[in-house]
Amino acid sequence: MRALTWHGKRDVRVDTVPDPKLHDRDDVIIKVTTTGLCGSDLHLYEVLGAFLDPGDILGHEPMGIVEEVGPDVTAVKPGDRVVIPFNISCGTCFMCGAGLHSQCETTQVHAYGTGASLFGYTKLYGQVPGGQAQYLRVPFGNTLPIRVPDGPSDERFVYLSDVLPTAWQAVEYAAVPPGGSIAVLGLGPIGDMSTRIAAHRGAGTVIGIDLVPERLERARRRGTRALDLREYGDDLTEVVRGLTGGRGPDAVIDAVGMEAHGNRLASAAQAVTTRLPDALAAPMMKHAGIDPLDALHTAIDLVRRGGTISVSGVYGGAIDPLPLLTMFDKQLQLRMGQANVHRWVGDLLPLLTDEDPLGVDDFATHRLPLEHAPDAYAMFQKKQDGAVKVLFIP
């Protein structure tokens, strides 16, 4: 089959690789019909190479048609249409029972002290072959795949793999009171969808902050008060307070994470790490890594006293410093973590109707053959051509 594979920093290629095979009795093989390019894939493209091997298959946002099932699989059958969550959860352990599927005790990666395994996402999360490919082996065939109806296009459902549950959890964790206010930092796929979900769930004031003109205009078309970071700069906090009764928003979502602009020292440290041999880079990132924290510091500054910060952007630094004095003084609440995909499916599926209240049908900005994936990664990283959400057709 053809699959998108990692070969080094900013070097991904579509190669011919062996087809996946059933391994366990409850495995499923799916033929991938649509698969997404995620903002967190850019961390593999740029920063996390120390935890990848050449030839690793990337991607964690697939959906498709069941091709083959193991002898113990009864929940799906060949021909069924399914979406595959990005986190690999058994559905039966204590953590899954508590709705914390991203902490699944069956697939935790104990060698690195991390949570549930992820498709296509480094040794830190199990080094499981990913979904930017023509076929994918899916474990836990009775509990992991999400069955979706035939009929509507893939774009109606593919975002159940990551974008929708991640954005829904970000808003849930933000705990915006009815009619309250929320600011979203970063209007990439997760930030953009978070503004839509916040408005849908009753936020009275939804503010989006970014510095890419196309992303700002896209958010404005959906009714978000979009602010250009380049325009307001150091005055951003006062401007946001002016839109929120002088106090600041009730909640802020950091949908940026380690790709934040602004901190040259931390960005330089990341760049140096990516140039080290893996034998040195991996332990440095595990024990002395540092992220650009500009987005998180901005969130701490913006949010009102007693407010909530919800972090959906990925961070990877082991020694990231936080302004705990300010956080304590402002009596802030902070929630974060990988999305627990299956926890939110019941909330989201009823919204994926012809009425399309969240605008999923036209959410993608680019639909490309998988063979174009290397160029798409470069375009997405450079924020060119209005790229917000890229879907690949294998």
Side-chain angles (χ1 to χ4, degrees), residues 230-277:
R230 299 169 304 170
E231 178 180 351
Y232 294 106
D234 293 340
D235 297 326
L236 179 67
T237 299
E238 292 307 313
V239 171
V240 171
R241 285 178 180 163
L243 298 173
T244 53
R247 297 186 185 90
D250 297 305
V252 176
I253 292 174
D254 172 4
V256 178
M258 70 169 81
E259 297 285 335
H261 297 270
N263 188 318
R264 294 181 179 178
L265 178 60
S267 297
Q270 277 188 348
V272 168
T273 302
T274 64
R275 290 194 290 268
L276 292 172

Side-chain angles (χ1 to χ4, degrees), residues 184-361:
V184 179
L185 301 176
L187 294 172
I190 303 303
D192 186 337
M193 185 56 72
S194 294
T195 65
R196 302 179 187 204
I197 290 172
H200 174 78
R201 294 182 59 171
T205 301
V206 181
I207 301 166
I209 300 164
D210 206 296
L211 42 68
V212 180
E214 295 89 348
R215 297 184 177 192
L216 292 162
E217 181 54 34
R218 174 180 161 105
R220 290 188 185 107
R221 291 196 297 268
R222 298 284 305 191
T224 296
R225 180 64 183 268
L227 303 180
D228 190 336
L229 185 61
R230 299 169 304 170
E231 178 180 351
Y232 294 106
D234 293 340
D235 297 326
L236 179 67
T237 299
E238 292 307 313
V239 171
V240 171
R241 285 178 180 163
L243 298 173
T244 53
R247 297 186 185 90
D250 297 305
V252 176
I253 292 174
D254 172 4
V256 178
M258 70 169 81
E259 297 285 335
H261 297 270
N263 188 318
R264 294 181 179 178
L265 178 60
S267 297
Q270 277 188 348
V272 168
T273 302
T274 64
R275 290 194 290 268
L276 292 172
D278 289 355
L280 295 176
M284 178 171 287
M285 293 183 71
K286 285 173 61 181
H287 301 295
I290 187 169
D291 294 315
L293 295 176
D294 297 78
L296 187 53
H297 282 277
T298 298
I300 293 166
D301 191 33
L302 289 179
V303 72
R304 70 162 169 82
R305 290 178 177 272
T308 301
I309 296 170
S310 172
V311 181
S312 62
V314 175
Y315 287 97
I319 57 168
D320 289 338
L322 289 174
L324 289 174
L325 185 149
T326 299
M327 296 166 68
F328 182 86
D329 179 66
K330 292 185 73 172
Q331 200 168 331
L332 303 184
Q333 299 181 73
L334 183 63
R335 296 197 71 181
M336 65 185 76
Q338 301 278 10
N340 305 298
V341 174
H342 267 287
R343 169 66 180 83
W344 312 114
V345 169
D347 297 292
L348 289 162
L349 267 175
L351 302 179
L352 304 182
T353 62
D354 288 342
E355 289 74 25
D356 193 18
L358 302 180
V360 296
D361 284 347

Side-chain angles (χ1 to χ4, degrees), residues 142-164:
N142 288 315
T143 53
L144 186 58
I146 302 166
R147 289 186 61 185
V148 296
D150 295 326
S153 73
D154 279 7
E155 291 179 43
R156 181 73 57 86
F157 302 112
V158 67
Y159 306 115
L160 282 171
S161 60
D162 185 346
V163 173
L164 283 168

Side-chain angles (χ1 to χ4, degrees), residues 38-50:
C38 181
S40 59
D41 288 328
L42 296 182
H43 308 325
L44 313 184
Y45 191 64
E46 185 73 28
V47 178
L48 296 177

